[in-house]
Amino acid sequence: MLTTVVKPNTYQDSVSLMLVSKKLTEMPDVIKVSVMMGTPANKDILRGTGFGSAALDSAQPGDMILAIDAEDNVDPQSVVHEAEEALANQAAGTPGSTLRTVRSFERAFDVLPEANLGLLSIPGDYVAAEADRLLERGVNVMIFSDNVSLDDEIALKRKAAAKGLLVMGPDCGTAMIGGAPLAFTNEVTRGDIGLVAASGTGAQEVMSAIDRLGGGVSTVLGLGGRDLSHQVGGLMCLQALAALADDASTSTIVIVSKPPAPEVRQKVAEAAKNLGKPVVIVFIGERPATARDGNVRYAYTLADAAALAVEIAGGGRPVFAPGQKAIRGLYTGGTLANEAAMLIRDAFGLTDTDPSHRQGYVLRSGGHEIVDLGDDAYTQGRPHPMIDPSARIEKMPAVFDDPATAVVLLDCVIGYGASDDPAGALAPAIRDGIEHARAAGRDVAVVVSVCGTRHDPQGYEEQRATLAEAGATVLPDNASAVRHALALLDEPAATSAGAAAPRPVGVAGLLAGRPAVVNVGVRSFAQTLHDAEVSTVQYDWTPVAGGDAELASLLDALQNV
């Protein structure tokens, strides 16, 4: 039996209705229940599945429709009663929650006057009006909602750009600001890599991969899938890049998007080259024509983009003194030393000036030196350096004291047969070397890779933590460590006069700490923020004039008289 029940003026957000639909469908002898708002699009869907009726035809956008497919013995009113109870329980929120809830726009700002971000998850037809109200108040906007017209998106983003604000979306599912989880996101280590993403799951994949590789994320700014289209012109991508360029907590930026319109690609690429920070760009589904253009690197896959970002970032960029241009590597693993030498030779186009590799030097060229301390020259009459770290530790002070040294490269090999605690032996030498160099007015970066597994007796994570605490940047593998060392020697990109957008005050304020959020729509988003100790108020929004578009327009016009 098919039954249509309409509950007038009973607005609920789409996520709540989906959850209720699932719960009602689990009732005995109920085949399926679809609970939707009475928008024209939703009514067309229900008609197409056999629920056409006079009641359906009369439903307004602010009315809730229950389309019930059940056995003849099921009383439709029992389903309605169950729906009302489920919605009431949802509205009550988490038991014991102190989440603040209001029922008007103005009251939301009375409760949270410092609000600087509005998160919208309401039907697309109503988004533009609410987003515009937020922008008028100087509040940045994240639009989770879809079905927002292209014209509305362009108008909102132009207004935001003029006001120095950010509009993330429409259809923006992922963002993270100041560690605050916005909509669909992941718990990741805080760090110095910022993401600008026109893809929600793309952003999640990259930020999760960065975390797994040992890196950290400062900020994730979503754009919505149309921002880099010809029509929108990358308005918010450029705004977000300018904000992250000026964000002290971000050293490296990743741009994630499907291939943009050609003219927008050009604008984004030029802006990236003028940011003064390293940028990794991945246009998903497109093989890069070049691997590198100045400070910009291009990746083919999301995993590649994450790996490049971790290699480049690594906890910040030191300021080297004039003449500090050398990478000095002290290795215990011969093959690892040779791999490092190969990558450095390739990067600088070097020819080894001493191919005989006397005294274990596998590279001595262009001021760079990589030495294999496991060479016969160092193991005569003493244990291999993987067993006895003292040979390497003895050489480290001279390397740090050399005024040409910019980066010290080290390997840390663990496993059976190796030193019981190689990181513990290295840590004091690393710490002392960094301190002595600073006392002489120089920064020296120490970059280490740990070769081993989480099952090795020394403890993989413990070794990494010991090295990091000593001041080293720890990368997941030797090649990543070498590429990070090379990236540290890159000259920062100079910002051309007038090329970069001016610092957007509203966005900069948003990135200065944790946001203060007015959540308009899906309550669970607000609850997640509240549980994460983010200042949040839940605005239980309902459509103006019960969803009557003509009456709503009239009321809006009267308010603006």
Side-chain angles (χ1 to χ4, degrees), residues 146-220:
D146 54 10
N147 295 311
V148 177
S149 76
L150 181 59
D151 287 344
D152 282 342
E153 177 175 352
I154 293 169
L156 289 169
K157 289 186 172 180
R158 285 178 177 170
K159 185 168 190 170
K163 288 178 168 287
L165 297 168
L166 190 65
V167 170
M168 297 184 282
D171 202 14
C172 176
T174 299
M176 187 186 75
I177 299 172
L182 296 161
F184 301 146
T185 189
N186 300 92
E187 184 72 27
V188 296
T189 303
R190 296 295 303 280
D192 58 346
I193 301 172
L195 275 66
V196 176
S199 166
T201 52
Q204 287 186 272
E205 180 74 3
V206 172
M207 65 193 291
S208 298
I210 288 170
D211 181 86
R212 291 192 299 269
L213 290 169
V217 177
S218 59
T219 300
V220 179

Side-chain angles (χ1 to χ4, degrees), residues 326-552:
I327 298 174
R328 301 288 164 77
L330 298 175
Y331 276 82
T332 62
T335 300
L336 299 178
N338 277 279
E339 181 182 52
M342 173 190 72
L343 292 171
I344 294 170
R345 277 196 301 267
D346 290 349
F348 294 116
L350 301 176
T351 300
D352 202 337
T353 56
D354 186 6
S356 65
H357 297 166
R358 286 176 294 180
Q359 296 299 305
Y361 283 92
V362 294
L363 174 68
R364 286 182 110 171
S365 183
H368 308 289
E369 296 179 351
I370 303 293
V371 60
D372 169 19
L373 294 169
D375 186 83
D376 291 348
Y378 301 100
T379 57
Q380 291 181 9
R382 66 188 308 170
H384 192 281
M386 286 186 194
I387 301 172
D388 179 7
S390 61
R392 177 159 57 177
I393 291 168
E394 290 166 6
K395 282 187 166 290
M396 289 176 68
V399 170
F400 279 101
D401 289 342
D402 186 336
T405 300
V407 184
V408 177
L409 264 175
L410 305 169
D411 61 344
C412 178
V413 183
I414 62 175
Y416 295 112
S419 167
D420 290 342
D421 185 15
L426 277 173
I430 292 171
R431 194 176 293 110
D432 289 347
I434 291 171
E435 289 175 358
H436 288 158
R438 283 180 181 160
R442 292 177 289 110
D443 277 339
V444 174
V446 180
V447 185
V448 189
S449 62
V450 178
C451 177
T453 76
R454 288 170 175 79
H455 308 292
D456 284 324
Q458 294 89 345
Y460 180 82
E461 297 297 345
E462 290 82 354
Q463 294 289 296
R464 289 175 58 94
T466 297
L467 294 164
E469 287 167 7
T473 296
V474 186
L475 276 295
D477 56 74
N478 184 50
S480 295
V482 178
R483 286 192 289 259
H484 176 60
L486 292 166
L488 291 176
L489 296 183
D490 287 347
E491 294 292 333
T495 303
S496 302
R503 177 173 180 160
V505 176
V507 187
L510 180 65
L511 302 189
R514 303 199 110 193
V517 183
V518 174
N519 186 67
V520 188
V522 178
R523 186 184 185 91
S524 61
F525 292 164
Q527 190 64 55
T528 297
L529 288 165
H530 179 68
D531 292 345
E533 299 183 348
V534 176
S535 295
T536 308
V537 60
Q538 168 67 19
Y539 169 21
D540 281 344
W541 177 91
T542 57
V544 175
D548 186 311
E550 290 186 10
L551 181 55

